[in-house]
Amino acid sequence: DQQVKQNSPSLSVQEGRISILNCDYTNSMFDYFLWYKKYPAEGPTFLISISSIKDKNEDGRFTVFLNKSAKHLSLHIVPSQPGDSAVYFCAASGSTGANSKLTFGKGITLSVRP
Amino acid sequence: GAGVSQSPSNKVTEKGKDVELRCDPISGHTALYWYRQSLGQGLEFLIYFQGNSAPDKSGLPSDRFSAERTGGSVSTLTIQRTQQEDSAVYLCASNGPTRRSASGGTSYNEQFFGPGTRLTVL
């Protein structure tokens, strides 16, 4: 049973526009939600995270929104840049000990067109 | 170095052979995780080490997989009698204290990943 789901495998947006990447989860016990970016042949790079007690966290061009009642989160990138083209993974975890292991979605490939 | 390092970067082996993968976490990070990414799949948790505590092995797919962490730093993941379905990218991550991001916000459970070892079992 997949606890973190990224239902769209790909997204293409125009440079300068907003990219919205969606993620759903089933486990209401998750405390933290994270977004990672991955280029080919590299390890994932942390982008932004949010605690389950918050509904929004912003860092530069990246904003993550959390809707706990819907078990849904989204990553907004604005403005999108060609260098943002990569695979984006949504992940979730508990807060302590072994629960800190990350449960990942399958990723979404973002393409930003110049 | 400043980041998580892994070796080798690529490993090709024959079915039935044993392989050993190495991870050097960020200095001072007490938590260390192994994940793997199989073709077309997301990242899958394998094993977790925290300090001197007993590891959480709940993600290991079979008893052919084992891992150890010596001296609370370097970790090795060993796969015995490799099978073709073991082919994947094996990623190591380490985690330190919750920190502030550049913009002043809090980063929760930020795990720093190495570049991975791509294992191919022929």
Side-chain angles (χ1 to χ4, degrees):
Chain A
D1 176 39
Q2 205 176 351
Q3 297 188 65
V4 177
K5 301 177 185 178
Q6 295 176 261
N7 293 319
S8 300
S10 63
L11 175 68
S12 180
V13 299
Q14 190 74 38
E15 180 179 6
R17 299 291 186 99
I18 185 171
S19 296
I20 300 177
L21 288 69
N22 293 305
C23 179
D24 297 293
Y25 62 95
T26 59
N27 186 346
S28 58
M29 301 302 290
F30 286 137
D31 293 310
Y32 302 140
F33 302 89
L34 303 89
W35 285 93
Y36 278 83
K37 174 181 180 180
K38 187 178 184 304
Y39 293 117
E42 294 184 10
T45 302
F46 172 80
L47 275 176
I48 192 169
S49 61
I50 189 168
S51 165
S52 61
I53 62 173
K54 308 270 184 155
D55 55 16
K56 177 182 176 181
N57 189 24
E58 187 173 355
D59 188 355
R61 296 187 298 114
F62 303 94
T63 303
V64 57
F65 295 92
L66 175 63
N67 183 333
K68 282 188 66 177
S69 61
K71 293 191 176 67
H72 177 85
L73 64 152
S74 61
L75 173 68
H76 293 209
I77 306 172
V78 57
S80 301
Q81 299 172 354
D84 295 330
S85 298
V87 178
Y88 289 77
F89 289 97
C90 172
S93 77
S95 56
T96 59
N99 292 324
S100 64
K101 63 191 176 193
L102 295 173
T103 300
F104 285 89
K106 292 192 176 183
I108 179 171
T109 301
L110 173 65
S111 299
V112 180
R113 307 185 303 274
Chain B
V4 178
S5 60
Q6 292 186 246
S7 61
S9 55
N10 281 283
K11 177 71 177 179
V12 180
T13 190
E14 294 179 348
K15 177 182 172 181
K17 301 280 190 179
D18 297 352
V19 295
E20 194 170 275
L21 313 179
R22 177 187 168 104
C23 171
D24 282 272
I26 292 173
S27 177
H29 279 189
T30 58
L32 186 148
Y33 309 78
W34 283 96
Y35 298 88
R36 74 174 178 181
Q37 183 178 18
S38 304
L39 188 64
Q41 300 296 314
L43 287 87
E44 170 191 21
F45 166 77
L46 296 177
I47 188 168
Y48 160 72
F49 294 91
Q50 173 63 57
N52 295 320
S53 302
D56 173 7
K57 305 179 183 180
S58 61
L60 295 179
S62 79
D63 58 8
R64 296 184 295 104
F65 288 71
S66 63
E68 63 178 20
R69 189 178 184 193
T70 53
S73 181
V74 171
S75 177
T76 54
L77 176 69
T78 301
I79 309 173
Q80 296 178 308
R81 305 181 302 282
T82 52
Q83 303 294 311
Q84 287 181 334
E85 61 263 28
D86 300 335
S87 296
V89 177
Y90 288 81
L91 290 152
C92 174
S94 70
N95 191 1
T98 300
R99 68 176 189 91
R100 289 284 178 184
S101 68
S103 64
T106 301
S107 297
Y108 301 97
N109 196 18
E110 178 181 352
Q111 296 182 18
F112 295 82
F113 282 80
T117 294
R118 179 174 294 278
L119 175 66
T120 304
V121 182
L122 301 176

mmCIF file of all heavy atoms in Angstrom, chain A residues 23-25 27 30-35 49-57 63-76 90-92:
data_model
loop_
_atom_site.group_PDB
_atom_site.id
_atom_site.type_symbol
_atom_site.label_atom_id
_atom_site.label_comp_id
_atom_site.label_asym_id
_atom_site.label_seq_id
_atom_site.Cartn_x
_atom_site.Cartn_y
_atom_site.Cartn_z
ATOM 1 N N CYS A 23 0.859 16.179 -4.122
ATOM 2 C CA CYS A 23 1.215 14.961 -3.391
ATOM 3 C C CYS A 23 0.089 14.639 -2.428
ATOM 4 O O CYS A 23 -0.453 15.542 -1.777
ATOM 5 C CB CYS A 23 2.528 15.198 -2.641
ATOM 6 S SG CYS A 23 3.114 13.810 -1.656
ATOM 7 N N ASP A 24 -0.281 13.372 -2.347
ATOM 8 C CA ASP A 24 -1.297 12.914 -1.407
ATOM 9 C C ASP A 24 -0.697 11.847 -0.496
ATOM 10 O O ASP A 24 0.216 11.125 -0.900
ATOM 11 C CB ASP A 24 -2.496 12.330 -2.158
ATOM 12 C CG ASP A 24 -3.181 13.372 -3.021
ATOM 13 O OD1 ASP A 24 -3.766 14.297 -2.458
ATOM 14 O OD2 ASP A 24 -3.093 13.255 -4.260
ATOM 15 N N TYR A 25 -1.229 11.751 0.703
ATOM 16 C CA TYR A 25 -0.734 10.733 1.623
ATOM 17 C C TYR A 25 -1.896 10.095 2.358
ATOM 18 O O TYR A 25 -3.010 10.643 2.407
ATOM 19 C CB TYR A 25 0.288 11.329 2.612
ATOM 20 C CG TYR A 25 -0.258 12.406 3.521
ATOM 21 C CD1 TYR A 25 -0.713 12.102 4.803
ATOM 22 C CD2 TYR A 25 -0.296 13.735 3.102
ATOM 23 C CE1 TYR A 25 -1.210 13.086 5.642
ATOM 24 C CE2 TYR A 25 -0.788 14.724 3.928
ATOM 25 C CZ TYR A 25 -1.242 14.404 5.199
ATOM 26 O OH TYR A 25 -1.735 15.388 6.025
ATOM 27 N N ASN A 27 -1.294 8.201 5.558
ATOM 28 C CA ASN A 27 -0.984 7.969 6.969
ATOM 29 C C ASN A 27 -1.114 9.277 7.759
ATOM 30 O O ASN A 27 -0.295 10.186 7.613
ATOM 31 C CB ASN A 27 0.437 7.414 7.097
ATOM 32 C CG ASN A 27 0.784 7.008 8.513
ATOM 33 O OD1 ASN A 27 0.092 7.348 9.461
ATOM 34 N ND2 ASN A 27 1.866 6.255 8.647
ATOM 35 N N PHE A 30 1.930 10.951 10.035
ATOM 36 C CA PHE A 30 3.120 11.664 9.570
ATOM 37 C C PHE A 30 3.217 13.027 10.258
ATOM 38 O O PHE A 30 2.226 13.739 10.415
ATOM 39 C CB PHE A 30 3.076 11.867 8.049
ATOM 40 C CG PHE A 30 3.343 10.624 7.246
ATOM 41 C CD1 PHE A 30 2.569 10.322 6.135
ATOM 42 C CD2 PHE A 30 4.382 9.762 7.556
ATOM 43 C CE1 PHE A 30 2.803 9.181 5.369
ATOM 44 C CE2 PHE A 30 4.634 8.624 6.804
ATOM 45 C CZ PHE A 30 3.835 8.334 5.713
ATOM 46 N N ASP A 31 4.452 13.385 10.669
ATOM 47 C CA ASP A 31 4.684 14.670 11.319
ATOM 48 C C ASP A 31 5.327 15.692 10.386
ATOM 49 O O ASP A 31 5.127 16.895 10.559
ATOM 50 C CB ASP A 31 5.615 14.480 12.527
ATOM 51 C CG ASP A 31 4.974 13.667 13.626
ATOM 52 O OD1 ASP A 31 3.837 13.991 14.012
ATOM 53 O OD2 ASP A 31 5.610 12.703 14.088
ATOM 54 N N TYR A 32 6.132 15.211 9.472
ATOM 55 C CA TYR A 32 6.877 16.105 8.586
ATOM 56 C C TYR A 32 6.655 15.694 7.143
ATOM 57 O O TYR A 32 6.546 14.509 6.827
ATOM 58 C CB TYR A 32 8.377 16.055 8.890
ATOM 59 C CG TYR A 32 8.762 16.417 10.300
ATOM 60 C CD1 TYR A 32 9.751 15.721 10.963
ATOM 61 C CD2 TYR A 32 8.155 17.478 10.959
ATOM 62 C CE1 TYR A 32 10.124 16.049 12.253
ATOM 63 C CE2 TYR A 32 8.513 17.813 12.256
ATOM 64 C CZ TYR A 32 9.498 17.093 12.901
ATOM 65 O OH TYR A 32 9.866 17.421 14.170
ATOM 66 N N PHE A 33 6.664 16.702 6.289
ATOM 67 C CA PHE A 33 6.539 16.482 4.855
ATOM 68 C C PHE A 33 7.644 17.264 4.166
ATOM 69 O O PHE A 33 7.914 18.410 4.524
ATOM 70 C CB PHE A 33 5.156 16.942 4.360
ATOM 71 C CG PHE A 33 4.043 16.242 5.070
ATOM 72 C CD1 PHE A 33 3.513 16.763 6.239
ATOM 73 C CD2 PHE A 33 3.539 15.039 4.585
ATOM 74 C CE1 PHE A 33 2.486 16.110 6.915
ATOM 75 C CE2 PHE A 33 2.524 14.376 5.257
ATOM 76 C CZ PHE A 33 2.000 14.913 6.427
ATOM 77 N N LEU A 34 8.287 16.620 3.209
ATOM 78 C CA LEU A 34 9.459 17.204 2.578
ATOM 79 C C LEU A 34 9.372 17.081 1.065
ATOM 80 O O LEU A 34 8.726 16.182 0.531
ATOM 81 C CB LEU A 34 10.737 16.476 3.049
ATOM 82 C CG LEU A 34 11.018 16.418 4.546
ATOM 83 C CD1 LEU A 34 10.369 15.186 5.185
ATOM 84 C CD2 LEU A 34 12.506 16.413 4.807
ATOM 85 N N TRP A 35 10.046 17.975 0.397
ATOM 86 C CA TRP A 35 10.210 17.902 -1.052
ATOM 87 C C TRP A 35 11.697 17.837 -1.367
ATOM 88 O O TRP A 35 12.503 18.616 -0.823
ATOM 89 C CB TRP A 35 9.592 19.104 -1.749
ATOM 90 C CG TRP A 35 8.098 19.058 -1.803
ATOM 91 C CD1 TRP A 35 7.221 19.604 -0.909
ATOM 92 C CD2 TRP A 35 7.307 18.414 -2.812
ATOM 93 N NE1 TRP A 35 5.928 19.340 -1.304
ATOM 94 C CE2 TRP A 35 5.953 18.626 -2.452
ATOM 95 C CE3 TRP A 35 7.594 17.699 -3.980
ATOM 96 C CZ2 TRP A 35 4.889 18.136 -3.234
ATOM 97 C CZ3 TRP A 35 6.544 17.221 -4.744
ATOM 98 C CH2 TRP A 35 5.208 17.441 -4.364
ATOM 99 N N SER A 49 10.606 21.829 3.628
ATOM 100 C CA SER A 49 9.811 20.910 4.426
ATOM 101 C C SER A 49 8.753 21.681 5.203
ATOM 102 O O SER A 49 8.788 22.917 5.274
ATOM 103 C CB SER A 49 10.706 20.134 5.397
ATOM 104 O OG SER A 49 11.365 21.033 6.294
ATOM 105 N N ILE A 50 7.821 20.935 5.759
ATOM 106 C CA ILE A 50 6.769 21.541 6.560
ATOM 107 C C ILE A 50 6.374 20.593 7.669
ATOM 108 O O ILE A 50 6.383 19.372 7.486
ATOM 109 C CB ILE A 50 5.549 21.929 5.683
ATOM 110 C CG1 ILE A 50 4.546 22.768 6.471
ATOM 111 C CG2 ILE A 50 4.883 20.689 5.092
ATOM 112 C CD1 ILE A 50 3.481 23.414 5.596
ATOM 113 N N SER A 51 6.066 21.157 8.820
ATOM 114 C CA SER A 51 5.577 20.371 9.936
ATOM 115 C C SER A 51 4.061 20.207 9.806
ATOM 116 O O SER A 51 3.382 21.072 9.249
ATOM 117 C CB SER A 51 5.911 21.084 11.243
ATOM 118 O OG SER A 51 5.182 20.551 12.325
ATOM 119 N N SER A 52 3.540 19.124 10.366
ATOM 120 C CA SER A 52 2.100 18.871 10.278
ATOM 121 C C SER A 52 1.265 19.886 11.048
ATOM 122 O O SER A 52 0.045 19.952 10.882
ATOM 123 C CB SER A 52 1.786 17.462 10.794
ATOM 124 O OG SER A 52 2.181 17.339 12.149
ATOM 125 N N ILE A 53 1.916 20.701 11.879
ATOM 126 C CA ILE A 53 1.154 21.709 12.625
ATOM 127 C C ILE A 53 1.050 23.032 11.867
ATOM 128 O O ILE A 53 0.427 23.976 12.340
ATOM 129 C CB ILE A 53 1.755 21.961 14.026
ATOM 130 C CG1 ILE A 53 3.182 22.514 13.911
ATOM 131 C CG2 ILE A 53 1.727 20.690 14.851
ATOM 132 C CD1 ILE A 53 3.762 22.937 15.257
ATOM 133 N N LYS A 54 1.697 23.075 10.710
ATOM 134 C CA LYS A 54 1.651 24.279 9.881
ATOM 135 C C LYS A 54 0.817 24.010 8.638
ATOM 136 O O LYS A 54 0.539 22.859 8.280
ATOM 137 C CB LYS A 54 3.068 24.678 9.444
ATOM 138 C CG LYS A 54 4.064 24.804 10.568
ATOM 139 C CD LYS A 54 4.081 26.185 11.120
ATOM 140 C CE LYS A 54 5.169 26.306 12.182
ATOM 141 N NZ LYS A 54 5.620 27.670 12.337
ATOM 142 N N ASP A 55 0.438 25.070 7.942
ATOM 143 C CA ASP A 55 -0.246 24.873 6.664
ATOM 144 C C ASP A 55 0.507 25.502 5.493
ATOM 145 O O ASP A 55 0.121 25.317 4.338
ATOM 146 C CB ASP A 55 -1.683 25.390 6.711
ATOM 147 C CG ASP A 55 -1.762 26.853 7.134
ATOM 148 O OD1 ASP A 55 -0.728 27.550 7.093
ATOM 149 O OD2 ASP A 55 -2.860 27.294 7.507
ATOM 150 N N LYS A 56 1.576 26.201 5.792
ATOM 151 C CA LYS A 56 2.345 26.848 4.729
ATOM 152 C C LYS A 56 3.766 27.083 5.202
ATOM 153 O O LYS A 56 3.997 27.448 6.356
ATOM 154 C CB LYS A 56 1.685 28.182 4.353
ATOM 155 C CG LYS A 56 2.420 29.002 3.306
ATOM 156 C CD LYS A 56 1.694 30.320 3.051
ATOM 157 C CE LYS A 56 2.466 31.198 2.081
ATOM 158 N NZ LYS A 56 1.770 32.503 1.854
ATOM 159 N N ASN A 57 4.711 26.875 4.293
ATOM 160 C CA ASN A 57 6.100 27.233 4.548
ATOM 161 C C ASN A 57 6.698 27.748 3.254
ATOM 162 O O ASN A 57 6.512 27.135 2.195
ATOM 163 C CB ASN A 57 6.903 26.029 5.071
ATOM 164 C CG ASN A 57 8.290 26.429 5.546
ATOM 165 O OD1 ASN A 57 8.519 27.579 5.903
ATOM 166 N ND2 ASN A 57 9.217 25.489 5.538
ATOM 167 N N THR A 63 7.256 27.334 -2.177
ATOM 168 C CA THR A 63 6.278 27.361 -1.098
ATOM 169 C C THR A 63 5.607 26.000 -1.032
ATOM 170 O O THR A 63 5.199 25.460 -2.073
ATOM 171 C CB THR A 63 5.210 28.444 -1.331
ATOM 172 O OG1 THR A 63 5.850 29.714 -1.470
ATOM 173 C CG2 THR A 63 4.234 28.496 -0.156
ATOM 174 N N VAL A 64 5.492 25.458 0.168
ATOM 175 C CA VAL A 64 4.774 24.202 0.341
ATOM 176 C C VAL A 64 3.511 24.492 1.141
ATOM 177 O O VAL A 64 3.539 25.210 2.148
ATOM 178 C CB VAL A 64 5.647 23.115 1.007
ATOM 179 C CG1 VAL A 64 6.196 23.565 2.343
ATOM 180 C CG2 VAL A 64 4.868 21.823 1.155
ATOM 181 N N PHE A 65 2.399 23.952 0.662
ATOM 182 C CA PHE A 65 1.106 24.087 1.313
ATOM 183 C C PHE A 65 0.666 22.716 1.800
ATOM 184 O O PHE A 65 0.797 21.728 1.075
ATOM 185 C CB PHE A 65 0.061 24.631 0.337
ATOM 186 C CG PHE A 65 0.333 26.033 -0.133
ATOM 187 C CD1 PHE A 65 1.051 26.261 -1.297
ATOM 188 C CD2 PHE A 65 -0.141 27.123 0.584
ATOM 189 C CE1 PHE A 65 1.309 27.547 -1.745
ATOM 190 C CE2 PHE A 65 0.107 28.414 0.138
ATOM 191 C CZ PHE A 65 0.836 28.632 -1.023
ATOM 192 N N LEU A 66 0.135 22.669 3.022
ATOM 193 C CA LEU A 66 -0.342 21.410 3.585
ATOM 194 C C LEU A 66 -1.813 21.532 3.951
ATOM 195 O O LEU A 66 -2.202 22.453 4.680
ATOM 196 C CB LEU A 66 0.468 21.040 4.826
ATOM 197 C CG LEU A 66 0.014 19.805 5.587
ATOM 198 C CD1 LEU A 66 0.130 18.547 4.720
ATOM 199 C CD2 LEU A 66 0.816 19.638 6.881
ATOM 200 N N ASN A 67 -2.616 20.608 3.470
ATOM 201 C CA ASN A 67 -4.030 20.523 3.810
ATOM 202 C C ASN A 67 -4.232 19.187 4.527
ATOM 203 O O ASN A 67 -4.387 18.141 3.891
ATOM 204 C CB ASN A 67 -4.888 20.602 2.544
ATOM 205 C CG ASN A 67 -6.379 20.582 2.842
ATOM 206 O OD1 ASN A 67 -6.811 20.034 3.865
ATOM 207 N ND2 ASN A 67 -7.155 21.144 1.961
ATOM 208 N N LYS A 68 -4.211 19.216 5.861
ATOM 209 C CA LYS A 68 -4.259 17.978 6.636
ATOM 210 C C LYS A 68 -5.584 17.260 6.495
ATOM 211 O O LYS A 68 -5.642 16.037 6.469
ATOM 212 C CB LYS A 68 -3.967 18.261 8.106
ATOM 213 C CG LYS A 68 -2.509 18.468 8.428
ATOM 214 C CD LYS A 68 -2.280 18.545 9.920
ATOM 215 C CE LYS A 68 -2.573 17.224 10.595
ATOM 216 N NZ LYS A 68 -2.271 17.268 12.051
ATOM 217 N N SER A 69 -6.658 18.016 6.407
ATOM 218 C CA SER A 69 -7.971 17.365 6.321
ATOM 219 C C SER A 69 -8.103 16.580 5.022
ATOM 220 O O SER A 69 -8.754 15.542 4.971
ATOM 221 C CB SER A 69 -9.091 18.390 6.448
ATOM 222 O OG SER A 69 -9.016 19.329 5.397
ATOM 223 N N ALA A 70 -7.457 17.068 3.980
ATOM 224 C CA ALA A 70 -7.501 16.393 2.686
ATOM 225 C C ALA A 70 -6.321 15.453 2.504
ATOM 226 O O ALA A 70 -6.243 14.755 1.483
ATOM 227 C CB ALA A 70 -7.525 17.420 1.556
ATOM 228 N N LYS A 71 -5.396 15.435 3.445
ATOM 229 C CA LYS A 71 -4.155 14.657 3.341
ATOM 230 C C LYS A 71 -3.479 14.960 2.004
ATOM 231 O O LYS A 71 -3.146 14.061 1.218
ATOM 232 C CB LYS A 71 -4.425 13.164 3.503
ATOM 233 C CG LYS A 71 -4.904 12.763 4.890
ATOM 234 C CD LYS A 71 -4.878 11.241 5.044
ATOM 235 C CE LYS A 71 -5.268 10.808 6.446
ATOM 236 N NZ LYS A 71 -6.676 11.107 6.757
ATOM 237 N N HIS A 72 -3.264 16.233 1.780
ATOM 238 C CA HIS A 72 -2.736 16.701 0.497
ATOM 239 C C HIS A 72 -1.725 17.810 0.742
ATOM 240 O O HIS A 72 -1.927 18.668 1.596
ATOM 241 C CB HIS A 72 -3.878 17.226 -0.381
ATOM 242 C CG HIS A 72 -3.419 17.798 -1.674
ATOM 243 N ND1 HIS A 72 -3.186 17.032 -2.796
ATOM 244 C CD2 HIS A 72 -3.147 19.088 -2.031
ATOM 245 C CE1 HIS A 72 -2.792 17.809 -3.787
ATOM 246 N NE2 HIS A 72 -2.769 19.058 -3.349
ATOM 247 N N LEU A 73 -0.626 17.759 -0.008
ATOM 248 C CA LEU A 73 0.295 18.877 0.007
ATOM 249 C C LEU A 73 0.714 19.214 -1.413
ATOM 250 O O LEU A 73 0.582 18.374 -2.320
ATOM 251 C CB LEU A 73 1.517 18.618 0.885
ATOM 252 C CG LEU A 73 2.499 17.508 0.543
ATOM 253 C CD1 LEU A 73 3.872 17.871 1.075
ATOM 254 C CD2 LEU A 73 2.049 16.214 1.195
ATOM 255 N N SER A 74 1.167 20.428 -1.583
ATOM 256 C CA SER A 74 1.602 20.860 -2.903
ATOM 257 C C SER A 74 2.838 21.741 -2.768
ATOM 258 O O SER A 74 3.036 22.420 -1.757
ATOM 259 C CB SER A 74 0.481 21.601 -3.630
ATOM 260 O OG SER A 74 0.090 22.759 -2.911
ATOM 261 N N LEU A 75 3.645 21.690 -3.793
ATOM 262 C CA LEU A 75 4.838 22.537 -3.900
ATOM 263 C C LEU A 75 4.610 23.517 -5.035
ATOM 264 O O LEU A 75 4.298 23.107 -6.148
ATOM 265 C CB LEU A 75 6.077 21.686 -4.188
ATOM 266 C CG LEU A 75 7.371 22.454 -4.481
ATOM 267 C CD1 LEU A 75 7.845 23.180 -3.223
ATOM 268 C CD2 LEU A 75 8.452 21.508 -5.001
ATOM 269 N N HIS A 76 4.740 24.792 -4.723
ATOM 270 C CA HIS A 76 4.625 25.843 -5.728
ATOM 271 C C HIS A 76 6.004 26.428 -5.994
ATOM 272 O O HIS A 76 6.721 26.787 -5.044
ATOM 273 C CB HIS A 76 3.672 26.948 -5.253
ATOM 274 C CG HIS A 76 2.256 26.503 -5.132
ATOM 275 N ND1 HIS A 76 1.191 27.375 -5.308
ATOM 276 C CD2 HIS A 76 1.706 25.295 -4.876
ATOM 277 C CE1 HIS A 76 0.063 26.731 -5.155
ATOM 278 N NE2 HIS A 76 0.344 25.460 -4.881
ATOM 279 N N CYS A 90 8.134 13.873 -3.322
ATOM 280 C CA CYS A 90 7.452 14.207 -2.078
ATOM 281 C C CYS A 90 7.791 13.109 -1.075
ATOM 282 O O CYS A 90 7.870 11.924 -1.442
ATOM 283 C CB CYS A 90 5.945 14.245 -2.360
ATOM 284 S SG CYS A 90 4.892 14.403 -0.939
ATOM 285 N N ALA A 91 8.021 13.474 0.189
ATOM 286 C CA ALA A 91 8.340 12.486 1.208
ATOM 287 C C ALA A 91 7.672 12.872 2.513
ATOM 288 O O ALA A 91 7.367 14.046 2.748
ATOM 289 C CB ALA A 91 9.853 12.366 1.399
ATOM 290 N N ALA A 92 7.473 11.884 3.374
ATOM 291 C CA ALA A 92 6.844 12.128 4.666
ATOM 292 C C ALA A 92 7.509 11.257 5.716
ATOM 293 O O ALA A 92 8.073 10.202 5.404
ATOM 294 C CB ALA A 92 5.350 11.826 4.591
#
